[in-house]
Short mmCIF file of all heavy atoms in Angstrom, two decimals:
data_model
loop_
_atom_site.label_atom_id
_atom_site.label_comp_id
_atom_site.label_asym_id
_atom_site.label_seq_id
_atom_site.Cartn_x
_atom_site.Cartn_y
_atom_site.Cartn_z
N LYS A 125 6.71 15.93 11.61
CA LYS A 125 7.89 16.70 11.22
C LYS A 125 7.61 17.39 9.88
O LYS A 125 6.79 16.89 9.09
CB LYS A 125 9.09 15.78 11.06
CG LYS A 125 9.43 14.95 12.29
CD LYS A 125 10.56 13.99 12.00
CE LYS A 125 10.88 13.14 13.23
NZ LYS A 125 12.00 12.18 12.95
N PRO A 126 8.30 18.48 9.60
CA PRO A 126 8.11 19.14 8.31
C PRO A 126 8.32 18.20 7.13
O PRO A 126 7.62 18.33 6.10
CB PRO A 126 9.15 20.26 8.33
CG PRO A 126 9.29 20.59 9.78
CD PRO A 126 9.18 19.28 10.49
N GLU A 127 9.20 17.23 7.26
CA GLU A 127 9.44 16.31 6.15
C GLU A 127 8.31 15.31 5.95
O GLU A 127 8.33 14.53 4.99
CB GLU A 127 10.76 15.55 6.37
CG GLU A 127 10.93 14.89 7.72
CD GLU A 127 11.72 15.76 8.69
OE1 GLU A 127 11.48 17.00 8.73
OE2 GLU A 127 12.56 15.19 9.41
N ASP A 128 7.32 15.31 6.81
CA ASP A 128 6.11 14.50 6.61
C ASP A 128 5.12 15.19 5.68
O ASP A 128 4.09 14.58 5.32
CB ASP A 128 5.43 14.20 7.95
CG ASP A 128 6.28 13.34 8.86
OD1 ASP A 128 6.89 12.37 8.37
OD2 ASP A 128 6.31 13.63 10.07
N THR A 129 5.39 16.42 5.32
CA THR A 129 4.50 17.16 4.43
C THR A 129 4.38 16.45 3.08
O THR A 129 5.39 16.18 2.43
CB THR A 129 5.00 18.59 4.24
OG1 THR A 129 4.93 19.28 5.49
CG2 THR A 129 4.17 19.33 3.20
N ALA A 130 3.16 16.17 2.69
CA ALA A 130 2.91 15.43 1.44
C ALA A 130 1.41 15.28 1.25
O ALA A 130 0.63 15.56 2.15
CB ALA A 130 3.57 14.06 1.49
N VAL A 131 1.05 14.81 0.07
CA VAL A 131 -0.30 14.32 -0.15
C VAL A 131 -0.30 12.83 0.23
O VAL A 131 0.54 12.07 -0.25
CB VAL A 131 -0.76 14.49 -1.61
CG1 VAL A 131 -2.15 13.88 -1.81
CG2 VAL A 131 -0.75 15.96 -2.00
N TYR A 132 -1.23 12.46 1.09
CA TYR A 132 -1.31 11.09 1.58
C TYR A 132 -2.45 10.36 0.88
O TYR A 132 -3.57 10.88 0.78
CB TYR A 132 -1.53 11.07 3.09
CG TYR A 132 -0.27 11.37 3.86
CD1 TYR A 132 0.27 12.64 3.87
CD2 TYR A 132 0.40 10.37 4.56
CE1 TYR A 132 1.45 12.92 4.54
CE2 TYR A 132 1.57 10.62 5.25
CZ TYR A 132 2.10 11.91 5.23
OH TYR A 132 3.26 12.17 5.91
N TYR A 133 -2.14 9.16 0.40
CA TYR A 133 -3.11 8.35 -0.33
C TYR A 133 -3.33 7.03 0.40
O TYR A 133 -2.38 6.40 0.86
CB TYR A 133 -2.58 8.02 -1.72
CG TYR A 133 -2.33 9.22 -2.61
CD1 TYR A 133 -1.09 9.85 -2.61
CD2 TYR A 133 -3.33 9.69 -3.46
CE1 TYR A 133 -0.86 10.94 -3.43
CE2 TYR A 133 -3.11 10.79 -4.27
CZ TYR A 133 -1.86 11.41 -4.26
OH TYR A 133 -1.64 12.49 -5.06
N CYS A 134 -4.58 6.61 0.45
CA CYS A 134 -4.83 5.26 0.92
C CYS A 134 -5.04 4.35 -0.27
O CYS A 134 -5.42 4.79 -1.36
CB CYS A 134 -6.02 5.19 1.87
SG CYS A 134 -7.63 5.52 1.15
N ALA A 135 -4.76 3.07 -0.07
CA ALA A 135 -4.83 2.10 -1.15
C ALA A 135 -5.35 0.77 -0.63
O ALA A 135 -5.13 0.42 0.55
CB ALA A 135 -3.45 1.91 -1.78
N ALA A 136 -6.02 0.04 -1.51
CA ALA A 136 -6.57 -1.27 -1.15
C ALA A 136 -6.09 -2.31 -2.15
O ALA A 136 -5.98 -2.04 -3.35
CB ALA A 136 -8.10 -1.22 -1.13
N ARG A 137 -5.85 -3.48 -1.62
CA ARG A 137 -5.32 -4.58 -2.43
C ARG A 137 -6.34 -5.70 -2.42
O ARG A 137 -6.59 -6.28 -1.36
CB ARG A 137 -4.00 -5.03 -1.82
CG ARG A 137 -3.39 -6.27 -2.38
CD ARG A 137 -2.14 -6.64 -1.58
NE ARG A 137 -1.69 -7.97 -1.90
CZ ARG A 137 -0.87 -8.27 -2.88
NH1 ARG A 137 -0.37 -7.30 -3.64
NH2 ARG A 137 -0.51 -9.51 -3.10
N SER A 138 -6.91 -6.03 -3.57
CA SER A 138 -7.94 -7.06 -3.64
C SER A 138 -7.41 -8.39 -4.14
O SER A 138 -8.07 -9.42 -3.95
CB SER A 138 -9.09 -6.61 -4.55
OG SER A 138 -8.62 -6.44 -5.87
N ARG A 139 -6.23 -8.40 -4.75
CA ARG A 139 -5.70 -9.66 -5.30
C ARG A 139 -5.33 -10.60 -4.17
O ARG A 139 -5.09 -10.16 -3.04
CB ARG A 139 -4.51 -9.38 -6.21
CG ARG A 139 -3.31 -8.84 -5.49
CD ARG A 139 -2.29 -8.27 -6.42
NE ARG A 139 -2.67 -6.97 -6.94
CZ ARG A 139 -1.86 -6.21 -7.65
NH1 ARG A 139 -0.64 -6.63 -7.95
NH2 ARG A 139 -2.26 -5.03 -8.11
N TYR A 140 -5.24 -11.88 -4.49
CA TYR A 140 -5.01 -12.87 -3.45
C TYR A 140 -3.63 -12.73 -2.81
O TYR A 140 -2.63 -12.48 -3.49
CB TYR A 140 -5.14 -14.29 -4.01
CG TYR A 140 -4.78 -15.33 -2.98
CD1 TYR A 140 -5.69 -15.69 -1.99
CD2 TYR A 140 -3.52 -15.91 -2.96
CE1 TYR A 140 -5.35 -16.60 -1.02
CE2 TYR A 140 -3.16 -16.84 -2.00
CZ TYR A 140 -4.08 -17.17 -1.02
OH TYR A 140 -3.74 -18.08 -0.06
N SER A 141 -3.57 -12.91 -1.52
CA SER A 141 -2.32 -13.06 -0.78
C SER A 141 -2.64 -13.76 0.52
O SER A 141 -3.80 -13.83 0.92
CB SER A 141 -1.65 -11.70 -0.52
OG SER A 141 -2.47 -10.92 0.34
N ILE A 142 -1.61 -14.26 1.16
CA ILE A 142 -1.84 -14.87 2.47
C ILE A 142 -2.30 -13.80 3.44
O ILE A 142 -2.04 -12.61 3.24
CB ILE A 142 -0.58 -15.58 2.99
CG1 ILE A 142 0.60 -14.61 3.13
CG2 ILE A 142 -0.23 -16.75 2.08
CD1 ILE A 142 1.82 -15.22 3.77
N MET A 143 -2.99 -14.19 4.47
CA MET A 143 -3.64 -13.25 5.38
C MET A 143 -2.66 -12.33 6.07
O MET A 143 -3.01 -11.22 6.45
CB MET A 143 -4.48 -14.01 6.39
CG MET A 143 -5.68 -14.75 5.80
SD MET A 143 -6.87 -13.62 5.03
CE MET A 143 -7.64 -12.94 6.49
N SER A 144 -1.41 -12.78 6.24
CA SER A 144 -0.45 -11.99 7.01
C SER A 144 0.44 -11.11 6.13
O SER A 144 1.30 -10.40 6.65
CB SER A 144 0.44 -12.93 7.83
OG SER A 144 1.15 -13.80 6.96
N TYR A 145 0.24 -11.13 4.83
CA TYR A 145 1.12 -10.38 3.93
C TYR A 145 0.85 -8.87 4.02
O TYR A 145 -0.29 -8.45 4.01
CB TYR A 145 0.93 -10.86 2.49
CG TYR A 145 1.84 -10.18 1.50
CD1 TYR A 145 3.21 -10.43 1.52
CD2 TYR A 145 1.35 -9.30 0.55
CE1 TYR A 145 4.05 -9.81 0.61
CE2 TYR A 145 2.18 -8.68 -0.35
CZ TYR A 145 3.53 -8.94 -0.31
OH TYR A 145 4.36 -8.32 -1.22
N THR A 146 1.94 -8.12 4.07
CA THR A 146 1.84 -6.65 4.04
C THR A 146 2.52 -6.15 2.76
O THR A 146 3.71 -6.35 2.57
CB THR A 146 2.50 -6.03 5.28
OG1 THR A 146 3.81 -6.56 5.46
CG2 THR A 146 1.68 -6.29 6.52
N ALA A 147 1.76 -5.51 1.90
CA ALA A 147 2.26 -5.04 0.62
C ALA A 147 2.86 -3.65 0.78
O ALA A 147 2.21 -2.75 1.33
CB ALA A 147 1.14 -5.01 -0.41
N THR A 148 4.08 -3.47 0.29
CA THR A 148 4.78 -2.20 0.47
C THR A 148 5.09 -1.47 -0.83
O THR A 148 5.65 -0.37 -0.78
CB THR A 148 6.09 -2.43 1.25
OG1 THR A 148 6.92 -3.31 0.48
CG2 THR A 148 5.82 -3.04 2.61
N ARG A 149 4.74 -2.06 -1.96
CA ARG A 149 4.95 -1.40 -3.24
C ARG A 149 3.63 -0.90 -3.80
O ARG A 149 2.60 -1.56 -3.69
CB ARG A 149 5.60 -2.35 -4.23
CG ARG A 149 6.93 -2.91 -3.83
CD ARG A 149 7.62 -3.57 -5.05
NE ARG A 149 6.67 -4.29 -5.88
CZ ARG A 149 6.40 -5.59 -5.73
NH1 ARG A 149 6.97 -6.27 -4.76
NH2 ARG A 149 5.56 -6.18 -6.54
N SER A 150 3.67 0.25 -4.47
CA SER A 150 2.44 0.82 -5.00
C SER A 150 1.83 -0.07 -6.07
O SER A 150 0.59 -0.11 -6.20
CB SER A 150 2.70 2.22 -5.55
OG SER A 150 3.67 2.19 -6.57
N ASP A 151 2.64 -0.80 -6.82
CA ASP A 151 2.08 -1.65 -7.87
C ASP A 151 1.41 -2.91 -7.33
O ASP A 151 0.85 -3.68 -8.10
CB ASP A 151 3.14 -2.01 -8.92
CG ASP A 151 4.29 -2.83 -8.36
OD1 ASP A 151 4.27 -3.15 -7.15
OD2 ASP A 151 5.20 -3.14 -9.13
N GLU A 152 1.42 -3.10 -6.03
CA GLU A 152 0.72 -4.23 -5.42
C GLU A 152 -0.71 -3.88 -5.06
O GLU A 152 -1.44 -4.75 -4.59
CB GLU A 152 1.47 -4.68 -4.16
CG GLU A 152 2.85 -5.24 -4.44
CD GLU A 152 3.48 -5.79 -3.17
OE1 GLU A 152 3.96 -4.99 -2.34
OE2 GLU A 152 3.50 -7.03 -3.01
N TYR A 153 -1.10 -2.65 -5.26
CA TYR A 153 -2.44 -2.20 -4.86
C TYR A 153 -3.32 -1.97 -6.07
O TYR A 153 -2.86 -1.59 -7.15
CB TYR A 153 -2.33 -0.93 -4.02
CG TYR A 153 -1.80 -1.21 -2.64
CD1 TYR A 153 -0.44 -1.23 -2.39
CD2 TYR A 153 -2.66 -1.52 -1.58
CE1 TYR A 153 0.06 -1.53 -1.13
CE2 TYR A 153 -2.18 -1.81 -0.33
CZ TYR A 153 -0.82 -1.82 -0.11
OH TYR A 153 -0.33 -2.12 1.14
N ASP A 154 -4.61 -2.20 -5.87
CA ASP A 154 -5.57 -2.17 -6.97
C ASP A 154 -6.45 -0.93 -6.98
O ASP A 154 -6.97 -0.54 -8.01
CB ASP A 154 -6.46 -3.42 -6.90
CG ASP A 154 -5.64 -4.69 -6.95
OD1 ASP A 154 -4.95 -4.92 -7.96
OD2 ASP A 154 -5.66 -5.45 -5.95
N TYR A 155 -6.67 -0.34 -5.81
CA TYR A 155 -7.58 0.81 -5.71
C TYR A 155 -6.89 1.90 -4.89
O TYR A 155 -6.20 1.62 -3.93
CB TYR A 155 -8.88 0.39 -5.02
CG TYR A 155 -9.59 -0.74 -5.72
CD1 TYR A 155 -9.51 -2.04 -5.23
CD2 TYR A 155 -10.34 -0.54 -6.87
CE1 TYR A 155 -10.13 -3.10 -5.86
CE2 TYR A 155 -10.97 -1.59 -7.51
CZ TYR A 155 -10.86 -2.87 -7.00
OH TYR A 155 -11.49 -3.91 -7.63
#
């Protein structure tokens, strides 16, 4: 949709979490 227009960024999280955790905040990512 037109509202999907944006710059898309990928991010990786290296800090420890349980295997099933899904991080949804930008400050939870390291790279």
Side-chain angles (χ1 to χ4, degrees):
K125 304 176 181 180
E127 51 264 43
D128 295 318
T129 295
V131 177
Y132 283 71
Y133 298 90
C134 67
R137 171 184 168 88
S138 63
R139 66 194 76 172
Y140 175 79
S141 65
I142 60 174
M143 293 297 285
S144 61
Y145 183 69
T146 50
T148 61
R149 300 194 321 268
S150 59
D151 63 1
E152 295 185 283
Y153 287 88
D154 303 298
Y155 303 101

